[in-house]
Amino acid sequence: MTDQELQKIVETVSLESFSKPFRHRARFNSRLRTTGGRYLLASHDIEINPRPLVVHGMEELIAIIKHELCHYHLHLEGKGYRHMDADFKNLLRQVGGTRYCKDTGARRIVKTRYDYKCMNCGLVYQRKRRIDTRKYACGACRGRLKLVGNTRLV
């Protein structure tokens, strides 16, 4: 889906659900990771994460658009547009928008684990960060450490 198609969908949802036009810009922003979309206060534009569309489909995308349009219309009217405001909660409930975006799996942090083995007693140490084996020794027997492997954890 292109930004132009998204723009048309946002304009249609705004007219159908809010009976008000959307007069600013809507676009995809693939750098969004922890949110489904965001409303930009300064420019009044809306940015949407494309991942929920791919993972969950059009219904989830429409719910996210309704959420962002609640921010948009309430802010322009000078009412409470923030998540904690009663105006926002009531309007979101009326239009059937989603409060939270479904998980898209994009938040997973890839970690690396380093395994060090003592050359003397065989004790294995697991560390998140690399260590200087010339500087550090085994805590049990003071033997030399050797890097035996590193694994990537998801």
Side-chain angles (χ1 to χ4, degrees), residues 52-53 56-65 98 100-102:
L53 174 64
H56 300 293
M58 193 61 141
E59 190 174 306
E60 180 67 13
L61 179 72
I62 301 269
I64 292 168
I65 290 170
T98 182
Y100 302 104
C101 178
K102 290 181 182 175

Side-chain angles (χ1 to χ4, degrees), residues 87-146:
D87 291 334
F88 178 80
K89 290 178 183 177
N90 291 335
L91 183 59
L92 189 65
R93 198 175 308 113
Q94 286 173 11
V95 298
T98 182
R99 181 100 162 118
Y100 302 104
C101 178
K102 290 181 182 175
D103 189 23
T104 60
R107 286 184 239 168
R108 292 195 182 117
I109 298 169
V110 177
K111 295 181 182 177
T112 303
R113 187 180 71 205
Y114 297 96
D115 297 324
Y116 295 91
K117 186 174 183 179
C118 175
M119 301 303 292
N120 193 23
C121 68
L123 188 63
V124 176
Y125 294 91
Q126 296 176 340
R127 296 289 178 264
K128 289 182 182 177
R129 296 183 179 178
R130 285 186 73 119
I131 62 170
D132 185 357
T133 55
R134 295 171 295 175
K135 189 176 179 182
Y136 294 96
C138 176
C141 71
R142 313 293 287 160
R144 287 185 50 100
L145 297 176
K146 180 181 179 183

Side-chain angles (χ1 to χ4, degrees), residues 4-107:
Q4 290 80 19
E5 292 171 330
L6 176 67
Q7 179 75 31
K8 288 179 184 174
I9 292 171
V10 171
E11 289 171 358
T12 304
V13 170
S14 182
L15 285 172
E16 289 176 358
S17 297
F18 297 88
S19 301
K20 297 173 188 170
F22 177 72
R23 293 196 170 104
H24 292 84
R25 223 174 117 209
R27 63 183 169 267
F28 284 113
N29 184 347
S30 58
R31 291 171 307 191
L32 297 176
R33 291 280 174 238
T34 60
T35 183
R38 68 179 171 189
Y39 166 62
L40 303 170
L41 291 171
S43 65
H44 305 296
D45 292 345
I46 291 177
E47 293 182 342
I48 302 291
N49 184 347
R51 204 135 154 85
L53 174 64
V54 174
V55 176
H56 300 293
M58 193 61 141
E59 190 174 306
E60 180 67 13
L61 179 72
I62 301 269
I64 292 168
I65 290 170
K66 287 180 180 178
H67 178 106
E68 300 310 323
L69 284 171
C70 285
H71 290 299
Y72 173 79
H73 289 298
L74 289 170
H75 181 248
L76 291 179
E77 292 171 7
K79 296 181 180 177
Y81 61 88
R82 296 180 301 169
H83 290 122
M84 64 183 183
D85 294 328
D87 291 334
F88 178 80
K89 290 178 183 177
N90 291 335
L91 183 59
L92 189 65
R93 198 175 308 113
Q94 286 173 11
V95 298
T98 182
R99 181 100 162 118
Y100 302 104
C101 178
K102 290 181 182 175
D103 189 23
T104 60
R107 286 184 239 168

